[in-house]
Amino acid sequence: MTDTTSQLDLDVSGLDAAEPASWSATTWLAVLSMAATSFALVSAEFLPAGLLTPLARDLGVSEGTAGQVVTATASVGAVAALLSNVLIGRMNRKTVLVGLSALAIGSNILAAVATEFWLLLLGRAGLGIALSAFWALSVSVVARLVGANATGQGMAIVTLGVSLATIAAPSMGALISDWLGWRTAMAMTAGLAAIAMLLQLLSLPSLPARAGTSLTDVFRLLGRRPVQLGMLAILLLMTGHFAGSVYVRPFLEQVTLLTTGSIALVLLGFGIAAVIGNIAGGRMADANIRIALVVTAALMALAALALVIWGAHIGVALGFAALWGFAFGMAPVVLPTNLSRGAPDALEAAGSLMVVSFQIAITIGAVVGGYIVDTHGATGPLILTAVLAASTVILALLQPRG
């Protein structure tokens, strides 16, 4: 879940509040090492969307079963999001971050050399731990690196890695898997994580542990109605998105009849549109979060439905895949902002619930989408995407104005 973190806890009381007039070279390198880590982790997370078909063929499983590599990452990540602050509470944060990059390296190597599907799942589960724990720490670490008053600027750089990975991973994964095989594509993400770990070792200062959020603080928020509605919006929209997007390559192959190269271009267009949507979503969320949520969900519903109806036409597939990407780019800004409105006094705990909600949605979406694609064909998951996105529109309209 990757590009959701920019909306996590910005309550950095107790952190270094002084903002330097300008960042030193050391500070820049430290922040860039965090951006490199986000790029490496999210690239590995999004990679299966571009190489699902050859992966399934090589391991002798169906495409629906192969899609559960996403489930393994997300389901383990959901637990890690809740427990990470508790389990690593007294460890130096630099040590933790370097260790998470090392875990990502080992997990990606295991996935690349796996000869059995369960080994692939094990590797992806390790990636899920690294992903969720990194995002749970990212805001507080960035605030300590640049000062509380510059946290937003620092996180903008860190999440740039997410945007770049959104563009590059699915399309490049499809191309590399076609040229050199899916295992090479997996191995390359281990190399990216190794570069990120080296940058962390060289540039991050010592970051002694500070007080974290307890599980009690997190679970207490579940009794708040606005928080419940915010989590439900995430579960509906993101379950729908991942039910369809994980299996978009089979759809483009079987319905639109595209070649691997053309699929890579579609996925590239999806990623570029997602970056634009991220910018638009931020502006809309600041202006009117309720309308922003309606627009995000409505665009995704429209795009998925149009692909189901007219997706056999290449031009239509390109256009509405880009529209879907635009809506997906808005979602990681709009959905967390919507949830945080229910807990302005407990943003860190709300951030944990947000990460968990995203990971559960990814898990459910991949599982249900896999079952549907195996039993009802490649258009089935996209129908579910449209239905759940439309349900999110209704939920948003029922939310109180404000």
Side-chain angles (χ1 to χ4, degrees), residues 144-204:
R144 294 174 67 176
L145 292 174
V146 304
N149 294 330
T151 302
Q153 182 184 354
M155 283 307 300
I157 295 172
V158 173
T159 55
L160 177 62
V162 177
S163 299
L164 294 175
T166 302
I167 296 173
S171 55
M172 291 305 296
L175 289 175
I176 293 172
S177 67
D178 189 47
W179 295 338
L180 301 174
W182 68 270
R183 295 183 186 277
T184 301
M186 285 279 189
M188 289 182 67
T189 59
L192 292 175
I195 294 172
M197 185 176 73
L198 178 61
L199 290 174
Q200 290 171 345
L201 286 168
L202 294 175
S203 63
L204 284 178

Short mmCIF file of all heavy atoms in Angstrom, two decimals, residues 144-204:
data_model
loop_
_atom_site.label_atom_id
_atom_site.label_comp_id
_atom_site.label_asym_id
_atom_site.label_seq_id
_atom_site.Cartn_x
_atom_site.Cartn_y
_atom_site.Cartn_z
N ARG A 144 12.05 13.85 11.75
CA ARG A 144 13.28 13.97 12.51
C ARG A 144 14.46 14.37 11.63
O ARG A 144 15.41 15.00 12.09
CB ARG A 144 13.58 12.66 13.23
CG ARG A 144 12.56 12.33 14.31
CD ARG A 144 12.77 10.96 14.92
NE ARG A 144 14.01 10.91 15.69
CZ ARG A 144 14.39 9.83 16.39
NH1 ARG A 144 13.61 8.75 16.42
NH2 ARG A 144 15.51 9.86 17.07
N LEU A 145 14.41 14.02 10.38
CA LEU A 145 15.49 14.37 9.47
C LEU A 145 15.46 15.83 9.06
O LEU A 145 16.50 16.48 8.97
CB LEU A 145 15.42 13.50 8.20
CG LEU A 145 15.71 12.01 8.36
CD1 LEU A 145 15.46 11.29 7.04
CD2 LEU A 145 17.14 11.77 8.84
N VAL A 146 14.26 16.38 8.81
CA VAL A 146 14.15 17.72 8.23
C VAL A 146 13.54 18.74 9.17
O VAL A 146 13.51 19.92 8.84
CB VAL A 146 13.35 17.67 6.91
CG1 VAL A 146 13.96 16.70 5.92
CG2 VAL A 146 11.87 17.31 7.18
N GLY A 147 13.02 18.29 10.33
CA GLY A 147 12.31 19.20 11.22
C GLY A 147 10.82 19.12 10.99
O GLY A 147 10.35 18.90 9.87
N ALA A 148 10.06 19.30 12.07
CA ALA A 148 8.61 19.14 11.99
C ALA A 148 7.96 20.08 10.98
O ALA A 148 7.01 19.72 10.31
CB ALA A 148 7.99 19.35 13.38
N ASN A 149 8.51 21.29 10.86
CA ASN A 149 7.89 22.28 9.97
C ASN A 149 8.15 22.01 8.50
O ASN A 149 7.57 22.67 7.64
CB ASN A 149 8.39 23.68 10.33
CG ASN A 149 7.93 24.11 11.71
OD1 ASN A 149 6.87 23.69 12.17
ND2 ASN A 149 8.74 24.92 12.37
N ALA A 150 9.02 21.05 8.21
CA ALA A 150 9.32 20.71 6.81
C ALA A 150 8.93 19.27 6.48
O ALA A 150 9.36 18.74 5.46
CB ALA A 150 10.80 20.92 6.52
N THR A 151 8.11 18.67 7.34
CA THR A 151 7.72 17.28 7.12
C THR A 151 7.02 17.07 5.78
O THR A 151 7.27 16.09 5.07
CB THR A 151 6.82 16.79 8.27
OG1 THR A 151 7.51 16.95 9.50
CG2 THR A 151 6.45 15.33 8.08
N GLY A 152 6.12 17.99 5.44
CA GLY A 152 5.39 17.85 4.18
C GLY A 152 6.31 17.85 2.98
O GLY A 152 6.17 17.04 2.07
N GLN A 153 7.29 18.76 2.99
CA GLN A 153 8.25 18.81 1.89
C GLN A 153 9.06 17.52 1.82
O GLN A 153 9.31 16.97 0.74
CB GLN A 153 9.19 20.00 2.07
CG GLN A 153 10.21 20.17 0.95
CD GLN A 153 11.18 21.32 1.22
OE1 GLN A 153 11.01 22.06 2.18
NE2 GLN A 153 12.18 21.46 0.36
N GLY A 154 9.47 17.01 2.98
CA GLY A 154 10.24 15.77 3.00
C GLY A 154 9.43 14.59 2.50
O GLY A 154 9.93 13.77 1.71
N MET A 155 8.17 14.49 2.93
CA MET A 155 7.33 13.38 2.50
C MET A 155 6.99 13.47 1.02
O MET A 155 6.79 12.45 0.36
CB MET A 155 6.05 13.33 3.34
CG MET A 155 6.25 12.76 4.74
SD MET A 155 7.05 11.14 4.77
CE MET A 155 5.88 10.16 3.81
N ALA A 156 6.93 14.68 0.48
CA ALA A 156 6.67 14.83 -0.96
C ALA A 156 7.79 14.18 -1.75
O ALA A 156 7.56 13.55 -2.79
CB ALA A 156 6.54 16.30 -1.32
N ILE A 157 9.02 14.32 -1.26
CA ILE A 157 10.16 13.70 -1.95
C ILE A 157 10.11 12.19 -1.79
O ILE A 157 10.36 11.43 -2.74
CB ILE A 157 11.48 14.28 -1.41
CG1 ILE A 157 11.58 15.76 -1.74
CG2 ILE A 157 12.68 13.53 -1.99
CD1 ILE A 157 12.74 16.46 -1.09
N VAL A 158 9.79 11.72 -0.58
CA VAL A 158 9.73 10.28 -0.34
C VAL A 158 8.67 9.63 -1.22
O VAL A 158 8.89 8.58 -1.83
CB VAL A 158 9.46 9.98 1.15
CG1 VAL A 158 9.22 8.49 1.37
CG2 VAL A 158 10.64 10.45 2.00
N THR A 159 7.50 10.24 -1.30
CA THR A 159 6.41 9.65 -2.09
C THR A 159 6.62 9.81 -3.58
O THR A 159 5.90 9.20 -4.37
CB THR A 159 5.05 10.25 -1.69
OG1 THR A 159 5.10 11.68 -1.81
CG2 THR A 159 4.70 9.88 -0.26
N LEU A 160 7.61 10.62 -3.98
CA LEU A 160 7.97 10.66 -5.39
C LEU A 160 8.44 9.29 -5.85
O LEU A 160 8.20 8.88 -6.98
CB LEU A 160 9.07 11.70 -5.64
CG LEU A 160 9.60 11.81 -7.07
CD1 LEU A 160 8.49 12.23 -8.03
CD2 LEU A 160 10.77 12.80 -7.13
N GLY A 161 9.09 8.56 -4.94
CA GLY A 161 9.49 7.19 -5.26
C GLY A 161 8.30 6.30 -5.56
O GLY A 161 8.37 5.43 -6.43
N VAL A 162 7.21 6.53 -4.85
CA VAL A 162 5.99 5.76 -5.10
C VAL A 162 5.43 6.07 -6.47
O VAL A 162 5.05 5.17 -7.23
CB VAL A 162 4.94 6.07 -4.02
CG1 VAL A 162 3.64 5.34 -4.31
CG2 VAL A 162 5.46 5.70 -2.65
N SER A 163 5.37 7.35 -6.82
CA SER A 163 4.84 7.74 -8.13
C SER A 163 5.66 7.15 -9.26
O SER A 163 5.11 6.64 -10.25
CB SER A 163 4.81 9.28 -8.23
OG SER A 163 3.98 9.84 -7.25
N LEU A 164 6.97 7.20 -9.12
CA LEU A 164 7.83 6.64 -10.15
C LEU A 164 7.66 5.13 -10.26
O LEU A 164 7.65 4.56 -11.36
CB LEU A 164 9.29 6.99 -9.87
CG LEU A 164 9.65 8.47 -9.96
CD1 LEU A 164 11.09 8.70 -9.53
CD2 LEU A 164 9.42 8.99 -11.37
N ALA A 165 7.50 4.47 -9.12
CA ALA A 165 7.30 3.02 -9.14
C ALA A 165 5.96 2.66 -9.77
O ALA A 165 5.84 1.65 -10.47
CB ALA A 165 7.38 2.47 -7.72
N THR A 166 4.95 3.48 -9.51
CA THR A 166 3.63 3.24 -10.11
C THR A 166 3.70 3.26 -11.63
O THR A 166 3.05 2.48 -12.31
CB THR A 166 2.63 4.32 -9.63
OG1 THR A 166 2.56 4.29 -8.20
CG2 THR A 166 1.24 4.07 -10.20
N ILE A 167 4.53 4.16 -12.15
CA ILE A 167 4.69 4.25 -13.60
C ILE A 167 5.55 3.11 -14.13
O ILE A 167 5.21 2.45 -15.11
CB ILE A 167 5.33 5.60 -13.99
CG1 ILE A 167 4.41 6.76 -13.61
CG2 ILE A 167 5.65 5.64 -15.48
CD1 ILE A 167 5.05 8.12 -13.80
N ALA A 168 6.68 2.88 -13.47
CA ALA A 168 7.70 2.01 -14.04
C ALA A 168 7.45 0.52 -13.83
O ALA A 168 7.66 -0.28 -14.75
CB ALA A 168 9.07 2.39 -13.47
N ALA A 169 7.03 0.14 -12.61
CA ALA A 169 7.04 -1.29 -12.26
C ALA A 169 6.16 -2.16 -13.15
O ALA A 169 6.64 -3.16 -13.70
CB ALA A 169 6.67 -1.46 -10.78
N PRO A 170 4.85 -1.85 -13.32
CA PRO A 170 4.04 -2.76 -14.12
C PRO A 170 4.48 -2.84 -15.58
O PRO A 170 4.56 -3.92 -16.16
CB PRO A 170 2.62 -2.18 -14.00
CG PRO A 170 2.65 -1.34 -12.76
CD PRO A 170 4.04 -0.78 -12.72
N SER A 171 4.77 -1.67 -16.19
CA SER A 171 5.13 -1.67 -17.61
C SER A 171 6.50 -2.28 -17.84
O SER A 171 6.69 -3.11 -18.73
CB SER A 171 5.09 -0.23 -18.15
OG SER A 171 5.91 0.63 -17.39
N MET A 172 7.49 -1.88 -17.03
CA MET A 172 8.83 -2.44 -17.19
C MET A 172 8.85 -3.92 -16.83
O MET A 172 9.57 -4.71 -17.44
CB MET A 172 9.83 -1.67 -16.32
CG MET A 172 10.09 -0.26 -16.80
SD MET A 172 10.65 -0.17 -18.53
CE MET A 172 12.22 -1.07 -18.40
N GLY A 173 8.03 -4.30 -15.84
CA GLY A 173 7.95 -5.71 -15.49
C GLY A 173 7.46 -6.55 -16.65
O GLY A 173 7.97 -7.64 -16.91
N ALA A 174 6.45 -6.02 -17.36
CA ALA A 174 5.92 -6.75 -18.51
C ALA A 174 6.97 -6.89 -19.61
O ALA A 174 7.12 -7.96 -20.22
CB ALA A 174 4.68 -6.03 -19.05
N LEU A 175 7.71 -5.81 -19.86
CA LEU A 175 8.73 -5.85 -20.91
C LEU A 175 9.90 -6.77 -20.53
O LEU A 175 10.35 -7.59 -21.34
CB LEU A 175 9.24 -4.43 -21.19
CG LEU A 175 8.28 -3.49 -21.90
CD1 LEU A 175 8.88 -2.10 -22.00
CD2 LEU A 175 7.93 -4.01 -23.29
N ILE A 176 10.39 -6.62 -19.30
CA ILE A 176 11.53 -7.43 -18.86
C ILE A 176 11.18 -8.91 -18.82
O ILE A 176 11.96 -9.77 -19.20
CB ILE A 176 12.03 -6.94 -17.48
CG1 ILE A 176 12.62 -5.54 -17.61
CG2 ILE A 176 13.08 -7.90 -16.92
CD1 ILE A 176 12.95 -4.89 -16.29
N SER A 177 9.95 -9.21 -18.37
CA SER A 177 9.54 -10.61 -18.32
C SER A 177 9.45 -11.21 -19.72
O SER A 177 9.72 -12.40 -19.92
CB SER A 177 8.19 -10.75 -17.61
OG SER A 177 7.14 -10.16 -18.36
N ASP A 178 9.10 -10.37 -20.70
CA ASP A 178 9.03 -10.85 -22.08
C ASP A 178 10.42 -11.05 -22.67
O ASP A 178 10.65 -11.99 -23.43
CB ASP A 178 8.23 -9.84 -22.92
CG ASP A 178 7.92 -10.37 -24.31
OD1 ASP A 178 7.47 -11.53 -24.40
OD2 ASP A 178 8.13 -9.65 -25.29
N TRP A 179 11.36 -10.17 -22.31
CA TRP A 179 12.71 -10.25 -22.87
C TRP A 179 13.58 -11.26 -22.13
O TRP A 179 14.26 -12.07 -22.75
CB TRP A 179 13.38 -8.88 -22.79
CG TRP A 179 12.75 -7.82 -23.63
CD1 TRP A 179 11.95 -8.02 -24.72
CD2 TRP A 179 12.83 -6.41 -23.44
NE1 TRP A 179 11.52 -6.80 -25.22
CE2 TRP A 179 12.05 -5.80 -24.46
CE3 TRP A 179 13.47 -5.58 -22.52
CZ2 TRP A 179 11.92 -4.42 -24.57
CZ3 TRP A 179 13.34 -4.21 -22.63
CH2 TRP A 179 12.57 -3.64 -23.65
N LEU A 180 13.58 -11.18 -20.79
CA LEU A 180 14.53 -11.95 -19.99
C LEU A 180 13.88 -12.92 -19.00
O LEU A 180 14.59 -13.68 -18.34
CB LEU A 180 15.43 -10.98 -19.20
CG LEU A 180 16.24 -9.98 -20.04
CD1 LEU A 180 16.95 -8.99 -19.13
CD2 LEU A 180 17.24 -10.70 -20.93
N GLY A 181 12.55 -12.89 -18.91
CA GLY A 181 11.85 -13.78 -17.99
C GLY A 181 11.42 -13.06 -16.71
O GLY A 181 12.06 -12.09 -16.28
N TRP A 182 10.36 -13.57 -16.11
CA TRP A 182 9.81 -12.91 -14.92
C TRP A 182 10.76 -13.01 -13.73
O TRP A 182 10.76 -12.13 -12.85
CB TRP A 182 8.45 -13.49 -14.56
CG TRP A 182 8.46 -14.93 -14.08
CD1 TRP A 182 8.34 -16.05 -14.84
CD2 TRP A 182 8.61 -15.36 -12.72
NE1 TRP A 182 8.40 -17.17 -14.05
CE2 TRP A 182 8.56 -16.79 -12.74
CE3 TRP A 182 8.76 -14.72 -11.51
CZ2 TRP A 182 8.67 -17.55 -11.58
CZ3 TRP A 182 8.88 -15.48 -10.35
CH2 TRP A 182 8.83 -16.88 -10.39
N ARG A 183 11.58 -14.04 -13.68
CA ARG A 183 12.52 -14.18 -12.56
C ARG A 183 13.57 -13.06 -12.58
O ARG A 183 13.97 -12.55 -11.52
CB ARG A 183 13.21 -15.55 -12.62
CG ARG A 183 12.24 -16.72 -12.42
CD ARG A 183 12.97 -18.04 -12.42
NE ARG A 183 12.04 -19.15 -12.36
CZ ARG A 183 11.50 -19.63 -11.24
NH1 ARG A 183 11.83 -19.07 -10.07
NH2 ARG A 183 10.65 -20.63 -11.27
N THR A 184 13.99 -12.67 -13.76
CA THR A 184 14.93 -11.55 -13.86
C THR A 184 14.30 -10.26 -13.36
O THR A 184 14.94 -9.47 -12.66
CB THR A 184 15.39 -11.37 -15.31
OG1 THR A 184 16.03 -12.57 -15.76
CG2 THR A 184 16.36 -10.20 -15.44
N ALA A 185 13.02 -10.07 -13.70
CA ALA A 185 12.32 -8.87 -13.23
C ALA A 185 12.25 -8.86 -11.71
O ALA A 185 12.47 -7.82 -11.06
CB ALA A 185 10.92 -8.83 -13.84
N MET A 186 11.94 -10.01 -11.10
CA MET A 186 11.90 -10.11 -9.64
C MET A 186 13.28 -9.83 -9.04
O MET A 186 13.42 -9.12 -8.04
CB MET A 186 11.43 -11.51 -9.23
CG MET A 186 9.95 -11.77 -9.40
SD MET A 186 9.01 -11.07 -8.04
CE MET A 186 7.38 -11.77 -8.40
N ALA A 187 14.32 -10.38 -9.65
CA ALA A 187 15.68 -10.20 -9.13
C ALA A 187 16.11 -8.75 -9.18
O ALA A 187 16.85 -8.28 -8.31
CB ALA A 187 16.65 -11.08 -9.91
N MET A 188 15.64 -8.02 -10.20
CA MET A 188 16.02 -6.62 -10.31
C MET A 188 15.48 -5.79 -9.16
O MET A 188 16.11 -4.82 -8.72
CB MET A 188 15.53 -6.06 -11.65
CG MET A 188 16.30 -6.60 -12.85
SD MET A 188 15.76 -5.90 -14.42
CE MET A 188 16.29 -4.20 -14.23
N THR A 189 14.32 -6.17 -8.61
CA THR A 189 13.79 -5.44 -7.46
C THR A 189 14.66 -5.68 -6.22
O THR A 189 14.75 -4.81 -5.35
CB THR A 189 12.33 -5.83 -7.16
OG1 THR A 189 12.26 -7.24 -6.90
CG2 THR A 189 11.43 -5.50 -8.34
N ALA A 190 15.29 -6.84 -6.13
CA ALA A 190 16.25 -7.07 -5.05
C ALA A 190 17.44 -6.13 -5.20
O ALA A 190 17.96 -5.60 -4.20
CB ALA A 190 16.71 -8.53 -5.05
N GLY A 191 17.88 -5.90 -6.43
CA GLY A 191 18.95 -4.96 -6.66
C GLY A 191 18.59 -3.54 -6.26
O GLY A 191 19.40 -2.81 -5.68
N LEU A 192 17.35 -3.14 -6.56
CA LEU A 192 16.88 -1.82 -6.14
C LEU A 192 16.90 -1.68 -4.63
O LEU A 192 17.30 -0.63 -4.09
CB LEU A 192 15.47 -1.57 -6.68
CG LEU A 192 15.31 -1.43 -8.19
CD1 LEU A 192 13.84 -1.32 -8.57
CD2 LEU A 192 16.09 -0.22 -8.70
N ALA A 193 16.45 -2.71 -3.92
CA ALA A 193 16.45 -2.68 -2.46
C ALA A 193 17.87 -2.62 -1.92
O ALA A 193 18.13 -1.97 -0.89
CB ALA A 193 15.71 -3.90 -1.91
N ALA A 194 18.82 -3.28 -2.59
CA ALA A 194 20.21 -3.24 -2.15
C ALA A 194 20.79 -1.82 -2.29
O ALA A 194 21.52 -1.35 -1.41
CB ALA A 194 21.05 -4.22 -2.97
N ILE A 195 20.46 -1.15 -3.37
CA ILE A 195 20.90 0.24 -3.55
C ILE A 195 20.31 1.12 -2.45
O ILE A 195 21.02 1.97 -1.87
CB ILE A 195 20.49 0.75 -4.94
CG1 ILE A 195 21.25 0.00 -6.04
CG2 ILE A 195 20.75 2.26 -5.06
CD1 ILE A 195 20.77 0.30 -7.44
N ALA A 196 19.03 0.93 -2.16
CA ALA A 196 18.38 1.72 -1.11
C ALA A 196 19.04 1.47 0.25
O ALA A 196 19.28 2.41 1.02
CB ALA A 196 16.89 1.38 -1.05
N MET A 197 19.36 0.21 0.55
CA MET A 197 20.00 -0.11 1.83
C MET A 197 21.37 0.54 1.93
O MET A 197 21.75 1.06 2.99
CB MET A 197 20.11 -1.63 1.99
CG MET A 197 20.65 -2.03 3.36
SD MET A 197 20.68 -3.83 3.63
CE MET A 197 22.04 -4.28 2.55
N LEU A 198 22.13 0.54 0.84
CA LEU A 198 23.44 1.17 0.85
C LEU A 198 23.31 2.68 1.12
O LEU A 198 24.08 3.24 1.91
CB LEU A 198 24.14 0.93 -0.49
CG LEU A 198 25.53 1.57 -0.65
CD1 LEU A 198 26.49 1.02 0.39
CD2 LEU A 198 26.06 1.33 -2.06
N LEU A 199 22.33 3.32 0.48
CA LEU A 199 22.11 4.74 0.72
C LEU A 199 21.72 5.00 2.17
O LEU A 199 22.14 6.01 2.77
CB LEU A 199 21.03 5.26 -0.23
CG LEU A 199 21.41 5.36 -1.71
CD1 LEU A 199 20.20 5.74 -2.55
CD2 LEU A 199 22.53 6.38 -1.90
N GLN A 200 20.91 4.13 2.74
CA GLN A 200 20.53 4.28 4.15
C GLN A 200 21.75 4.19 5.06
O GLN A 200 21.92 4.99 5.98
CB GLN A 200 19.51 3.21 4.54
CG GLN A 200 18.14 3.38 3.91
CD GLN A 200 17.27 2.16 4.16
OE1 GLN A 200 17.75 1.10 4.54
NE2 GLN A 200 15.97 2.32 3.92
N LEU A 201 22.59 3.19 4.82
CA LEU A 201 23.78 3.01 5.64
C LEU A 201 24.71 4.22 5.58
O LEU A 201 25.31 4.62 6.59
CB LEU A 201 24.53 1.76 5.19
CG LEU A 201 23.92 0.41 5.57
CD1 LEU A 201 24.61 -0.72 4.82
CD2 LEU A 201 24.02 0.20 7.08
N LEU A 202 24.82 4.82 4.40
CA LEU A 202 25.75 5.92 4.21
C LEU A 202 25.19 7.26 4.68
O LEU A 202 25.96 8.13 5.11
CB LEU A 202 26.14 6.03 2.73
CG LEU A 202 26.95 4.86 2.16
CD1 LEU A 202 27.16 5.05 0.65
CD2 LEU A 202 28.28 4.72 2.87
N SER A 203 23.88 7.45 4.59
CA SER A 203 23.33 8.80 4.78
C SER A 203 22.44 8.99 5.99
O SER A 203 22.35 10.11 6.52
CB SER A 203 22.54 9.21 3.52
OG SER A 203 21.43 8.36 3.33
N LEU A 204 21.78 7.95 6.48
CA LEU A 204 20.88 8.14 7.62
C LEU A 204 21.69 8.33 8.90
O LEU A 204 22.62 7.56 9.18
CB LEU A 204 19.95 6.94 7.77
CG LEU A 204 18.78 6.82 6.80
CD1 LEU A 204 17.99 5.54 7.09
CD2 LEU A 204 17.86 8.03 6.88
#
